[in-house]
Amino acid sequence: KQEVTQIPAALSVPEGENLVLNCSFTDSAIYNLQWFRQDPGKGLTSLLLIQSSQREQTSGRLNASLDKSSGRSTLYIAASQPGDSATYLCAVFDSSYKLIFGSGTRLLVRP
Amino acid sequence: GAVVSQHPSWVICKSGTSVKIECRSLDFQATTMFWYRQFPKQSLMLMATSNEGSKATYEQGVEKDKFLINHASLTLSTLTVTSAHPEDSSFYICSAGSGTGPTEAFFGQGTRLTVV
């Protein structure tokens, strides 16, 4: 059974810092991995999608990497801003055609 | 990205009544939609996979008679919580992919259900 773990569970940083969020999954047989952002009480916004054949994807200040063989992905946020404060979720589309989520990392960027 | 609309965004109902939540793909056809449940400060737990024109596939532990899912068209799936109880209070959220198989998932805004 696929399990997705995110570390750390919570993170507080001052504005301007670069930071890394980690995601690991137990079964490397995935189709893709997706990073999402969730604001309190809101739905999910897709940030980056990495196909299983890809190593990384970039969008603006965000860069996500994927090492399928080791079951790991990282989300790098450059020059963090208070508006980046949210919960970040990673999810893998596994061999059972289901999107399995990690528990999330709650990020607070302090002005 | 593709747009998924969920309605209502919040609902309060009395214990014993039923509540219907709609999930629509606005600018694409969604063969498959997924329904999730999220408790406070927890991650999303998959409840069921909804396929257009066929019966939904429920995850282990999810009561199919309590959580009725209908996917009558390529742009609409509904989740009905029947005979709701306070323990059903939660955040329900749907997602849809823009194609068949493991494509990028887009999510609705979610529905906050409170059963009193």
Side-chain angles (χ1 to χ4, degrees), chain A residues 4-111:
Chain A
V4 181
T5 304
Q6 289 187 248
I7 296 172
L11 184 62
S12 178
V13 301
E15 182 177 4
E17 269 202 12
N18 302 325
L19 54 99
V20 175
L21 307 181
N22 298 292
C23 173
S24 61
F25 46 96
T26 55
D27 186 350
S28 61
I30 64 170
Y31 288 100
N32 61 49
L33 183 144
Q34 203 166 346
W35 282 93
F36 296 90
R37 168 187 174 139
Q38 184 177 31
D39 293 289
K42 303 294 184 181
L44 275 66
T45 300
S46 178
L47 298 174
L48 290 165
L49 170 71
I50 311 177
Q51 300 290 350
S52 61
S53 58
Q54 297 175 320
R55 298 283 292 182
E56 66 176 338
Q57 283 286 335
T58 299
S59 176
R61 294 183 294 108
L62 305 179
N63 175 275
S65 67
L66 173 64
D67 184 342
K68 200 173 81 162
S69 61
S70 68
R72 295 182 181 182
S73 176
T74 61
L75 178 66
Y76 177 82
I77 303 177
S80 58
Q81 303 171 356
D84 294 332
S85 298
T87 295
Y88 290 80
L89 295 159
C90 77
V92 298
F93 211 122
D94 74 356
S95 56
S96 64
Y97 271 36
K98 298 175 185 176
L99 197 60
I100 308 298
F101 280 84
S103 51
T105 294
R106 293 189 304 279
L107 173 66
L108 173 65
V109 181
R110 307 186 304 272

Side-chain angles (χ1 to χ4, degrees), chain B residues 9 20 25 30 32 40 44-45 47-48 55 73-74 84 89:
Chain B
S9 56
K20 179 184 284 188
S25 55
T32 303
L44 280 72
M45 298 300 296
M47 298 176 65
K55 291 184 178 180
S73 76
L74 286 171
S89 299

Side-chain angles (χ1 to χ4, degrees), chain A residues 38 41-43, chain B residues 36-38 90-93 109-112:
Chain A
Q38 184 177 31
K42 303 294 184 181
Chain B
Y36 293 83
R37 182 174 183 176
Q38 186 179 33
S90 188
F91 188 66
Y92 294 87
I93 190 166
Q109 309 94 313
T111 297
R112 171 72 58 192

Side-chain angles (χ1 to χ4, degrees), chain B residues 1-110:
Chain B
V3 179
V4 176
S5 177
Q6 194 170 331
H7 178 81
S9 56
W10 61 270
V11 58
I12 301 173
C13 70
K14 291 185 177 180
S15 186
T17 62
S18 295
V19 174
K20 179 184 284 188
I21 302 169
E22 293 187 347
C23 180
R24 294 181 183 272
S25 55
L26 298 187
D27 52 0
F28 66 99
Q29 293 184 330
T31 306
T32 303
M33 290 186 176
F34 300 89
W35 286 96
Y36 293 83
R37 182 174 183 176
Q38 186 179 33
F39 290 105
K41 296 189 177 182
Q42 294 188 24
S43 191
L44 280 72
M45 298 300 296
L46 180 63
M47 298 176 65
T49 302
S50 167
N51 296 296
E52 186 267 337
S54 64
K55 291 184 178 180
T57 302
Y58 291 82
E59 294 300 298
Q60 191 173 9
V62 177
E63 298 177 59
K64 62 180 181 181
D65 294 329
K66 181 168 188 61
F67 298 100
L68 300 180
I69 292 174
N70 182 276
H71 194 159
S73 76
L74 286 171
T75 59
L76 174 64
S77 176
T78 60
L79 167 67
T80 301
V81 183
T82 62
S83 187
H85 291 287
E87 57 266 30
D88 298 325
S89 299
S90 188
F91 188 66
Y92 294 87
I93 190 166
C94 69
S95 78
S98 56
T100 57
T103 60
E104 185 172 5
F106 299 96
F107 281 78
Q109 309 94 313

